[in-house]
Amino acid sequence: NAGVMQNPRHLVRRRGQEARLRCSPMKGHSHVYWYRQLPEEGLKFMVYLQKENIIDESGMPKERFSAEFPKEGPSILRIQQVVRGDSAAYFCASSPRQGDNEQFFGPGTRLTVL
Amino acid sequence: GEDVEQSLFLSVREGDSSVINCTYTDSSSTYLYWYKQEPGAGLQLLTYIFSNMDMKQDQRLTVLLNKKDKHLSLRIADTQTGDSAIYFCAESSNDYKLSFGAGTTVTVRA
């Protein structure tokens, strides 16, 4: 059973471009969580999605950031018009149900904005 | 300031015990976690403790919780080279939103 997959592992964008980060949850998991880790800080919750639904996006910046988890395919975190402050590691986690004490994490995508 | 704080580095001799400390601010924390991250890999849950417990032991791992002081520690007995990694403390007051510390890089020296 493959773990949580994230791609790309490293992404470089110039200011103003768009970044798309993909996350494939573990097989059988329908709950996905995105976290962001800024340099020398802890991971910060961004958004919680179930298939086709956003459950909690309280950690998402109000502008330029969006997330989806379609019925088919991976979850996508999209950042439009990236700025240098978006440079961070973005981690995805999944669980089979809400309330599970264990979230299974992917290896992360490291975004660098030039 | 940060909701969860932990020291950034720890160096320990192989065979000794490692103790990683963490403090948190949210008094409504229900669960507290320790995750391990090895190079190039995702975070792996090591253990967690419910807030009404003081201690939890699992093989070489011992978690101590002082709820009054909001202090959590992870002790690794007989530390091995394979224990070299980044260890993250995390807390949650609901059943899905985790707040993490910045991670403690543990280096095991021979």
Side-chain angles (χ1 to χ4, degrees):
Chain A
N1 187 9
V4 177
M5 310 288 284
Q6 289 188 249
N7 67 83
R9 296 292 305 278
H10 300 274
L11 182 61
V12 179
R13 284 289 177 265
R14 296 191 182 279
R15 281 179 297 171
Q17 291 184 321
E18 179 180 287
R20 279 181 178 253
L21 288 63
R22 286 176 291 276
C23 169
S24 296
M26 287 182 71
K27 188 176 180 181
H29 288 195
S30 58
H31 299 252
V32 165
Y33 317 83
W34 284 94
Y35 292 81
R36 176 168 67 173
Q37 185 182 26
L38 295 170
E40 298 189 1
E41 294 186 15
L43 283 73
K44 294 288 192 288
F45 170 83
M46 298 181 75
V47 62
Y48 163 34
L49 309 106
Q50 292 180 31
K51 284 283 186 181
E52 300 184 279
N53 287 305
I54 296 174
I55 306 302
D56 182 349
E57 57 181 349
S58 59
M60 288 269 277
K62 293 288 185 285
E63 297 178 352
R64 301 187 298 107
F65 284 71
S66 62
E68 63 176 8
F69 188 17
K71 187 176 180 181
E72 301 290 338
S75 174
I76 306 288
L77 180 67
R78 182 181 177 209
I79 311 172
Q80 295 178 286
Q81 299 171 347
V82 295
V83 301
R84 288 219 174 101
D86 297 332
S87 295
Y90 292 83
F91 290 92
C92 168
S94 73
S95 68
R97 64 192 75 82
Q98 182 175 338
D100 248 351
N101 285 318
E102 182 164 10
Q103 294 180 14
F104 294 81
F105 280 80
T109 293
R110 188 162 298 279
L111 172 65
T112 301
V113 180
L114 302 178
Chain B
E2 294 294 320
D3 297 329
V4 180
E5 292 194 352
Q6 50 184 127
S7 53
L8 292 181
F9 301 100
L10 176 67
S11 178
V12 62
R13 195 189 307 269
E14 189 175 10
D16 287 352
S17 292
S18 309
V19 179
I20 309 168
N21 294 300
C22 168
T23 57
Y24 60 98
T25 58
D26 189 350
S27 57
S28 64
S29 295
T30 307
Y31 289 97
L32 297 121
Y33 306 82
W34 285 104
Y35 279 82
K36 176 184 180 183
Q37 185 185 31
E38 297 186 55
L43 279 71
Q44 174 196 357
L45 179 65
L46 283 179
T47 186
Y48 66 92
I49 188 168
F50 191 54
S51 60
N52 67 354
M53 298 169 64
D54 297 324
M55 186 183 87
K56 181 177 180 181
Q57 188 157 0
D58 183 1
Q59 299 182 341
R60 293 191 298 121
L61 304 179
T62 302
V63 178
L64 295 177
L65 174 61
N66 182 327
K67 194 173 180 182
K68 173 176 169 289
D69 294 338
K70 299 189 185 69
H71 181 268
L72 183 74
S73 68
L74 174 69
R75 178 177 180 269
I76 306 172
D78 186 25
T79 310
Q80 303 298 308
T81 54
D83 295 324
S84 292
I86 303 175
Y87 291 81
F88 292 90
C89 170
E91 63 86 19
S92 175
S93 55
N94 64 17
D95 56 9
Y96 60 84
K97 189 185 294 187
L98 303 179
S99 293
F100 286 83
T104 299
T105 299
V106 173
T107 302
V108 181
R109 59 187 193 278

